Amino acid sequence: EKVFPKGTDMFTLKGLTLDKAQIGKIDLTQPSGAISVTKQGEDWVIGAPAADMKPQKSTLDAIENGLSTWTPSDYADKPDGAGLEAPTHTAVVTLASGEQHTLALGAPSKGIAGQYARLDNAPNVLVMSKGDVDRAFPPAKDIYQRQLLDIDEEEINSISVQRATDSFQIARTADGWTLTIDGATAQPEQEKCEDLVSSVADMEASDILFGQPDLTGEPIATLHCVMKDGADHVFRFGPDENGSHALALSGKAQIFRVEKLTADEALVAGSSLKKPEPEPAPAPAPAPAPTPEAAAVPDAGTGAPSAAPAASAAPAPTPDANMPADSTTAVPESAPAPDAAAPAQCFAPSAWLGW
């Protein structure tokens, strides 16, 4: 629970009210690195830290705005524990007339989020809010634009990646991109080649390692981005360290760091640039199996299977003309064996005598 209101709730604390048009120079000291910038008209010239990059005007303007109109957020009754005898941050604003104003920051404030502050060596202890500290004292890397190349991607003529395995090159022709993987020509996917070109042209560093002129070890891959005018931008990537890679770029006097995702977009697998192989034609369907004979259908009346149709009977022999009409032709029996004697016929005596 808050027992005493902060100072600005009761009265206005005096801070800085400077005409930005009169500011000529700003010097910052801080744990993340000293910054020194000079203003020329509406533009800024960075004196320190030095880098072969363009100034980030929006960040430098924010520093100027934060200091020129700074109002304390609170104050402390006494300097004990404020840490102002050994400041962690110092800002010196020099006007065109030579007049200077100094803002020193000490220990974290106990009342609000921020740090104890002293303006122009006055005895009273003030408080600078965390938001104001962040605007006035940005990391040194943020005062530069961190896009690594200032080029038109339409002017890129070729990109090649050289590494222990899976080296490749894409080259621009009148008909599109060509692709070579480990010395062998492959059919490229044009859209993926364009994505690679954009990734290289738009690559941005996540940090600038001021004062480090080269990689500390051997690169894991080297990328050449050759322009139509013959200029060759050479990127040398160090190994992944906690989600980022050290990067040396030709023509730059310092080393950068790039996020792993950024490096992966440039160091793609050569096979990922190939046009997908057409899917094989489907195998012919197997011939249908022979249809089995249909089972006998039960008779509707009896439920018994219908009998198979009888074979055609052989035509009956033509009856003898002397045979009575109602006689039935007998099926001939087998002829008797040759050695069987036929029985003798006996006639009764009455047949002879006319009895």
Side-chain angles (χ1 to χ4, degrees), residues 118-301:
R118 176 168 283 152
L119 179 60
D120 291 335
N121 294 317
N124 53 321
V125 177
L126 307 172
V127 174
M128 189 176 202
S129 70
K130 184 179 185 306
D132 287 344
V133 172
D134 291 344
R135 279 187 290 273
F137 294 91
K141 65 176 183 176
D142 289 350
I143 68 173
Y144 284 101
Q145 298 178 29
R146 296 197 300 274
Q147 184 167 328
L148 296 174
L149 295 179
D150 183 15
I151 61 173
D152 178 358
E153 64 182 66
E154 293 298 324
E155 294 300 309
I156 294 177
N157 196 53
S158 69
I159 293 175
S160 62
V161 170
Q162 299 168 356
R163 50 194 165 191
T165 59
D166 191 30
S167 297
F168 70 85
Q169 180 188 59
I170 62 171
R172 190 190 297 272
T173 69
D175 298 323
W177 295 97
T178 62
L179 172 63
T180 304
I181 302 175
D182 287 330
T185 301
Q187 188 68 22
E189 181 71 42
Q190 295 296 319
E191 184 176 349
K192 292 183 178 179
C193 292
E194 292 291 349
D195 290 343
L196 173 60
V197 169
S198 296
S199 297
V200 173
D202 299 336
M203 192 182 301
E204 186 170 309
S206 58
D207 200 358
I208 304 173
L209 305 182
F210 299 104
Q212 182 177 332
D214 204 352
L215 299 176
T216 56
E218 291 298 316
I220 61 168
T222 300
L223 183 149
H224 291 262
C225 176
V226 181
M227 310 303 292
K228 290 180 179 178
D229 63 3
D232 186 4
H233 303 284
V234 183
F235 298 74
R236 292 182 294 122
F237 292 83
D240 175 23
E241 297 176 3
N242 300 318
S244 69
H245 295 255
L247 171 66
L249 177 59
S250 58
K252 303 297 184 182
Q254 61 287 313
I255 299 302
F256 304 93
R257 294 204 74 85
V258 293
E259 297 296 332
K260 183 179 185 303
L261 177 61
T262 300
D264 289 346
E265 289 176 344
L267 303 178
V268 297
S271 58
S272 71
L273 301 172
K274 293 172 62 176
K275 181 174 288 186
E277 296 289 340
E279 294 190 7
T291 305
E293 294 185 5
V297 180
D299 184 272

